[in-house]
Amino acid sequence: MIEGAMTLTDQLPASPETDADTLFESFVSWTAEQDIELYPAQEEALMEVVSGSNVILSTPTGSGKSLVAVGAHFAALASKRRSFYTAPIKALVSEKFFALVDVFGPDNVGMMTGDSNVNPDAPIICCTAEILANIALRDGARAEVDQVVMDEFHFYADPERGWAWQVPLLELTQVQFMLMSATLGDVSHFEKDLTRRTGRETAVVSSAERPVPLTFRYAMTPLHETIEELLGGNQAPIYVVYFNQASALEQAQALVSMKVASREQRDRIAEAIGDFRFTAGFGKTLSRLLRHGIGVHHAGMLPKYRRLVEQLAQAGLLKVICGTDTLGVGINVPIRTVLLTGLTKFDGNRTRHLKAREFHQVAGRAGRAGYDTAGYVVVQAPEHVIENERALAKVGEDPKKRRKVTRKKAPDGFVSWSEKTFDKLVEAEPEPLRSSFVVSHAMLLNVIDRPGDAFEAMRHLLTDNHEDRPSQRRHILRAIAIYRALLAAGVVERLDEPDEQGRSVRVTVDLQFDFALNQPLSPFALAAIELLDSESPSYVLDVVSIIEATLDNPRQVLSAQQFKARGEAVAQMKADGIEYEERMELLEDVTYPQPLAEMLEAAYETYRQGHPWVSEHELSPKSVARDMSERAMNFVEFVNHYNLARSEGLVLRYLADVYKALRHTVPDDAKTEEMEDFIEWLGELVRQVDSSLLDEWERLKNPGGAGATSTSTPEAPTGVTANKRAFRVQVRNALFRRVELAARRRYEELGELDGDNGWDADEWADALEEYFEQHDEIGAGADARGPALFMLDESSDPWVVRQIFEDPAGDKDWGISAEIDLAASDEAGAAVVRVTAVDQLQGIA
């Protein structure tokens, strides 16, 4: 992060006609004030930028590319030009937005991510690559874009998203480009192409020389010995790289027995952690690890945990961090040694060797400028190879003895690597970036909506992109098919004469700017909500199901739900005496919950007849927020129920997305009072688990109001009882959770909830025995959780609550009485329920 809050604007020259040398000196004087000395590659790139050239900046990680980007924005601002910064993920865009607000002030910086538009008319805009591509398609060379800084440009080769890095290069011919990455490979094609399209000189600034040199080593010692050696050799902090989250956590836990941190260091860690709130489950595990000087860092963690690990590492308090190969996108911590536990990874289809680009991306994290004078990259040999070499070393050089050694075989399906594999990766240049151009409905609609001749604009896109000729022909055929479908659906129409803006074909529907980016199925959701009966007891949860069907799948959650459902199905089938073969056949039909699937799919088929572009986006019925609500679980209970501790960050991000979509997609006239209650409850649930997700989102609306940046430690959330509307829903859910468990006679689980207050499993069983003598079941459907069966007295502290059972006879005289301890609830971050009775009262209903 660039320090020096809001001082760079003071260096802006009075005239936009300032010459390049003066601009360069102004920026350099600012960096000097920040005690930053520019590297030669930074100076060269900045001189090219202020001179008006395109720049391709290919220098190692930690070589200060972000500072060059700041210089580019400064030069554009000085000459009254509009500058765009793009990055591959919204989190990185947000991080850069706050960093640039610090440097240039909130009035000069805006952000567009599809989720949030902040100060969109600012002279400096941070946005996702797709947003800029959308602008390029819709406006072409007329776009109000003068300069583009494309970070992580190697995403150009991404099969699914690479088109968004290519389209601006094709369409924004008026723009000065700066393309940045540590792993670009051969860029001669881009150099020539940019110069041809923009008419500007294109400078390639590359350097293999790192500010902090790297030493590479192949380790033939067991992992724990390698780590001990690195710790003893003053090569910490060490980032131990795994290629899945489970292994990273397992290794971190295995290191607890090793003396990673001294007593003094552990005391400093405890002091730094202070009263940070760790939740049950993974939070308690992480707390224990951190207090031993061991961190864990991966995308499945809650944001507050990742940030805590980063802050402790930045303070020099963590000696070892175990994580995945992503190293947490945007992580900025002093890592001296990167220790890779392997050179293969599963890419979603198969296990394969790392590509040179992937290896150098990971290895480049070692050795941080300003922290280290050297960085180290160590790769472990396969475990079975190390064991075999040790066994051979024990018997010496005697050929007979060596032949008798029983060699350990590699695990089944293991893709091996060797020191030769390692050496080749160290020496290899990153692979050339390959074009990933695609044609979509959104592309055609944007171009057709552009003033001018859409056919000529599409011809340019389809024949002058970076694809080879056979691929271009395929794209042309697809574009023709899409155009015909849009024409047949009446979404576009031919005009007899060009209109006043030169269009001979026009779009007949209004397109929101980000219709293809910000939940492209949101318009379908609006149409589907109109099909619901707002008087239905299930209305609120049905609205939630529609919204969930339009969101991206949280795959780990859905897999866990399916695993749980199949386990329960197998148990029931065994109890029913179903034979194995039939069980396996029946099991194929058991999946994760998909409420309203039939209705939604029928509605989707009808909707896409008039909106053919939605066929590019998968409708995916699922139940995560709804499932949590129906089970009346809080966040920790839900995570534990599905064994999702390693993915709780994913769960929370998904719930935050549901909350934001409910707030912004559901029309006000469709929001009943119960719907508003649900939204308040879900937002408060997310905020209590980790306030950073929603606090940052809210803060984006007023970036200058709060001085904190996105990397600041968030304040602890206010007490859970402060938002009374949300807390009432939480109390209702807590009571209904007990109803749901009682209906299924899950006495052990009820005892786990209330055992500390005297209501163990036996107490619950005894209390409910009389009820089940009178009635066969307890209702647990939509009517059972309705407000008519929930009575709450807030006039005293503690609150007094009565949850009435829905019984088959309709007597409604049985229920659960409880007290809600408000102070304890604030401390716990969740409703603290103390059951006082489970009994029959006369005259309740």
Side-chain angles (χ1 to χ4, degrees):
M1 168 116 12
I2 305 298
E3 301 285 347
M6 303 186 191
T7 58
L8 188 49
T9 50
D10 297 336
Q11 301 290 340
L12 289 171
S15 169
E17 305 300 325
T18 304
D19 64 83
D21 288 341
T22 304
L23 275 179
F24 180 79
E25 290 302 325
S26 295
F27 186 75
V28 170
S29 66
W30 176 78
T31 60
E33 289 176 8
Q34 315 306 311
D35 293 325
I36 299 172
E37 183 177 349
L38 298 180
Y39 301 123
Q42 289 176 307
E43 288 188 345
E44 181 183 353
L46 285 165
M47 284 190 284
E48 295 289 354
V49 167
V50 298
S51 299
S53 298
N54 299 314
V55 175
I56 301 174
L57 182 57
S58 178
T59 57
T61 301
S63 59
K65 291 185 288 293
S66 294
L67 184 61
V68 179
V70 171
H73 297 311
F74 172 75
L77 196 61
S79 54
K80 308 298 182 186
R81 294 180 299 144
R82 199 159 188 237
S83 182
F84 277 64
Y85 166 90
T86 73
I89 60 173
K90 294 174 184 177
L92 194 54
V93 171
S94 175
E95 178 184 308
K96 195 62 63 174
F97 165 74
F98 285 111
L100 292 177
V101 165
D102 280 351
V103 174
F104 293 105
D107 293 339
N108 288 318
V109 187
M111 183 174 72
M112 302 178 187
T113 64
D115 282 343
S116 303
N117 284 354
V118 181
N119 197 15
D121 297 322
I124 300 172
I125 294 292
C126 300
C127 65
T128 54
E130 283 83 357
I131 288 284
L132 181 64
N134 208 32
I135 293 171
L137 289 169
R138 184 163 293 193
D139 297 329
R142 298 181 182 88
E144 295 181 7
V145 182
D146 302 300
Q147 180 190 77
V148 170
V149 177
M150 303 185 90
D151 205 353
E152 308 292 346
F153 185 71
H154 55 273
F155 270 80
Y156 168 95
D158 185 273
E160 294 182 358
R161 302 180 60 207
W163 68 272
W165 275 258
Q166 183 171 163
V167 163
L169 306 183
L170 306 180
E171 293 292 288
L172 300 179
T173 55
Q174 80 284 9
V175 159
Q176 177 190 23
F177 284 96
M178 183 161 78
L179 315 180
M180 307 192 305
S181 173
T183 54
L184 286 178
D186 180 13
V187 295
S188 56
H189 162 73
F190 297 104
E191 180 184 4
K192 295 172 186 174
D193 190 69
L194 279 176
T195 297
R196 174 176 71 86
R197 294 177 189 276
T198 66
R200 298 172 182 267
E201 291 296 319
T202 300
V204 177
V205 180
S206 60
S207 172
E209 183 178 346
R210 289 174 49 94
V212 179
L214 293 182
T215 299
F216 294 87
R217 179 164 71 88
Y218 192 71
M220 289 293 295
T221 49
L223 183 60
H224 69 280
E225 291 185 18
T226 304
I227 293 174
E228 284 179 339
E229 182 183 343
L230 292 170
L231 289 170
N234 194 32
Q235 293 180 34
I238 307 161
Y239 199 104
V240 185
V241 180
Y242 277 90
F243 295 92
N244 63 75
Q245 297 171 3
S247 296
L249 179 58
E250 287 170 9
Q251 179 56 47
Q253 291 173 307
L255 291 175
V256 170
S257 59
M258 185 186 300
K259 189 176 181 182
V260 172
S262 66
R263 176 76 262 174
E264 179 187 355
Q265 290 166 336
R266 293 199 298 272
D267 289 343
R268 289 174 57 203
I269 292 169
E271 182 180 355
I273 290 174
D275 57 358
F276 184 94
R277 182 193 287 176
F278 293 93
T279 56
F282 176 76
K284 299 301 183 186
T285 300
L286 180 63
S287 175
R288 174 169 162 266
L289 292 172
L290 291 176
R291 295 172 197 280
H292 282 80
I294 303 162
V296 179
H297 197 287
H298 59 70
M301 295 167 59
L302 294 177
K304 67 178 182 180
Y305 291 156
R306 291 203 310 274
R307 191 162 52 254
L308 177 63
V309 171
E310 291 165 14
Q311 290 167 343
L312 293 174
Q314 286 164 349
L317 297 175
L318 299 182
K319 297 296 185 181
V320 181
I321 305 171
C322 299
T324 54
D325 60 312
T326 61
L327 298 192
V329 174
I331 185 174
N332 182 27
V333 299
I335 298 167
R336 185 166 297 167
T337 300
V338 168
L339 171 56
L340 289 94
T341 58
L343 291 176
T344 62
K345 68 181 293 184
F346 182 71
D347 63 7
N349 297 309
R350 62 188 179 91
T351 299
R352 57 165 176 80
H353 287 122
L354 296 182
K355 296 178 180 178
R357 172 168 289 106
E358 293 167 331
F359 175 77
H360 288 292
Q361 281 283 346
V362 175
R365 296 291 182 178
R368 302 292 292 180
Y371 293 97
D372 302 311
T373 56
Y376 306 90
V377 179
V378 182
V379 172
Q380 284 289 121
E383 187 177 325
H384 67 279
V385 172
I386 295 172
E387 290 188 21
N388 290 339
E389 285 299 315
R390 291 208 152 185
L392 291 171
K394 284 183 179 179
V395 301
E397 298 300 322
D398 187 332
K400 291 183 180 179
K401 291 181 179 180
R402 292 175 72 88
R403 281 197 297 270
K404 291 180 180 179
V405 172
T406 302
R407 289 171 172 79
K408 185 175 181 179
K409 294 181 179 180
D412 290 340
F414 183 78
V415 177
S416 192
W417 67 90
S418 66
E419 189 166 7
K420 187 176 180 181
T421 313
F422 168 65
D423 291 338
K424 285 175 66 176
L425 285 171
V426 171
E427 297 298 326
E429 290 292 320
E431 297 82 3
L433 296 173
R434 297 190 180 279
S435 172
S436 297
F437 189 82
V438 295
V439 177
S440 66
H441 288 78
M443 177 180 285
L444 263 72
L445 286 167
N446 274 318
V447 173
I448 290 171
D449 212 36
R450 179 198 302 184
D453 187 342
F455 293 103
E456 186 56 39
M458 278 306 301
R459 184 180 293 112
H460 162 71
L461 261 177
L462 294 169
T463 62
D464 192 23
N465 53 48
H466 298 162
E467 299 280 281
D468 58 27
R469 285 303 296 164
S471 298
Q472 287 180 349
R473 283 193 287 271
R474 288 196 300 273
H475 295 318
I476 290 169
L477 291 174
R478 173 160 171 75
I480 292 171
I482 291 173
Y483 172 70
R484 287 173 176 167
L486 293 172
L487 203 61
V491 178
V492 301
E493 64 180 7
R494 294 292 302 266
L495 302 176
D496 294 333
E497 296 289 337
D499 65 12
E500 65 278 3
Q501 293 187 303
R503 299 186 183 98
S504 58
V505 60
R506 71 181 182 91
V507 179
T508 62
V509 296
D510 290 331
L511 299 176
Q512 64 194 60
F513 170 74
D514 55 358
F515 81 100
L517 299 171
N518 184 17
Q519 301 312 336
L521 292 179
S522 291
F524 164 74
L526 294 178
I529 288 171
E530 293 179 1
L531 302 176
L532 300 178
D533 176 9
S534 62
E535 299 299 320
S536 167
S538 64
Y539 172 74
V540 171
L541 294 180
D542 288 345
V543 171
V544 173
S545 290
I546 290 173
I547 293 299
E548 290 202 68
T550 67
L551 300 178
D552 291 338
N553 285 342
R555 298 196 181 279
Q556 291 95 320
V557 182
L558 303 187
S559 295
Q561 287 178 317
Q562 178 171 281
F563 181 80
K564 189 84 170 178
R566 288 186 170 180
E568 292 173 351
V570 166
Q572 185 60 52
M573 285 188 278
K574 284 182 177 179
D576 294 341
I578 298 175
E579 295 297 326
Y580 175 80
E581 289 77 9
E582 187 179 356
R583 290 204 306 267
M584 293 302 100
E585 187 176 334
L586 292 171
L587 212 55
E588 291 298 315
D589 296 327
V590 179
T591 183
Y592 53 84
Q594 299 180 34
L596 304 188
E598 190 172 332
M599 182 273 277
L600 285 170
E601 285 162 7
Y604 177 77
E605 281 302 310
T606 301
Y607 184 83
R608 77 183 184 92
Q609 299 308 313
H611 307 79
W613 63 83
V614 303
S615 60
E616 294 174 355
H617 307 286
E618 181 184 1
L619 184 73
S620 179
K622 52 187 168 291
S623 178
V624 178
R626 177 171 184 155
D627 187 27
M628 180 181 291
S629 177
E630 287 184 318
R631 294 180 183 275
M633 289 179 170
N634 60 34
F635 182 81
V636 172
E637 289 169 341
F638 185 83
V639 166
N640 290 341
H641 180 72
Y642 287 114
N643 195 26
L644 287 165
R646 289 196 301 269
S647 301
E648 59 183 3
L650 171 71
V651 178
L652 192 71
R653 280 193 297 276
Y654 177 82
L655 293 175
D657 286 343
V658 175
Y659 167 72
K660 288 185 281 187
L662 286 170
R663 276 191 57 181
H664 288 278
T665 301
V666 179
D668 287 342
D669 60 5
K671 291 178 180 173
T672 62
E673 187 172 349
E674 285 192 24
M675 184 82 251
E676 294 280 12
D677 286 346
F678 185 95
I679 294 171
E680 283 292 314
W681 163 75
L682 186 58
E684 193 61 28
L685 179 147
V686 172
R687 189 170 282 110
Q688 288 296 327
V689 174
D690 188 340
S691 62
S692 62
L693 279 177
L694 294 186
D695 287 351
E696 178 175 313
W697 182 59
E698 299 287 355
R699 194 169 76 249
L700 291 175
K701 299 173 185 175
N702 183 26
T709 69
S710 63
T711 56
S712 299
T713 304
E715 294 182 7
T718 55
V720 71
T721 63
N723 184 338
K724 284 197 173 183
R725 186 170 197 167
F727 186 60
R728 288 188 199 102
V729 177
Q730 191 176 132
V731 171
R732 188 192 307 174
N733 284 348
L735 267 295
F736 191 76
R737 173 67 176 152
R738 288 157 173 83
V739 171
E740 193 241 5
L741 292 173
R744 296 158 68 192
R745 308 191 193 203
R746 296 285 186 87
Y747 302 128
E748 290 296 332
E749 292 178 53
L750 285 164
E752 289 174 9
L753 286 176
D754 300 306
D756 290 343
N757 297 314
W759 282 83
D760 59 16
D762 292 338
E763 191 71 19
W764 271 101
D766 291 344
L768 290 167
E769 182 179 358
E770 186 179 345
Y771 173 89
F772 284 117
E773 288 176 355
Q774 299 177 28
H775 305 288
D776 293 335
E777 61 181 10
I778 297 174
D783 290 332
R785 65 183 303 131
L789 301 183
F790 179 77
M791 305 168 65
L792 179 64
D793 179 3
E794 302 176 23
S795 63
S796 61
D797 185 359
W799 288 358
V800 177
V801 61
R802 176 78 174 173
Q803 174 66 58
I804 302 166
F805 293 158
E806 184 192 38
D807 59 83
D811 295 335
K812 299 177 183 176
D813 54 353
W814 271 85
I816 304 169
S817 297
E819 296 177 343
I820 310 300
D821 188 322
L822 302 184
S825 297
D826 280 334
E827 185 177 344
V832 173
V833 178
R834 293 184 179 139
V835 174
T836 55
V838 179
D839 56 8
Q840 182 179 24
L841 296 180
Q842 301 301 321
I844 290 294

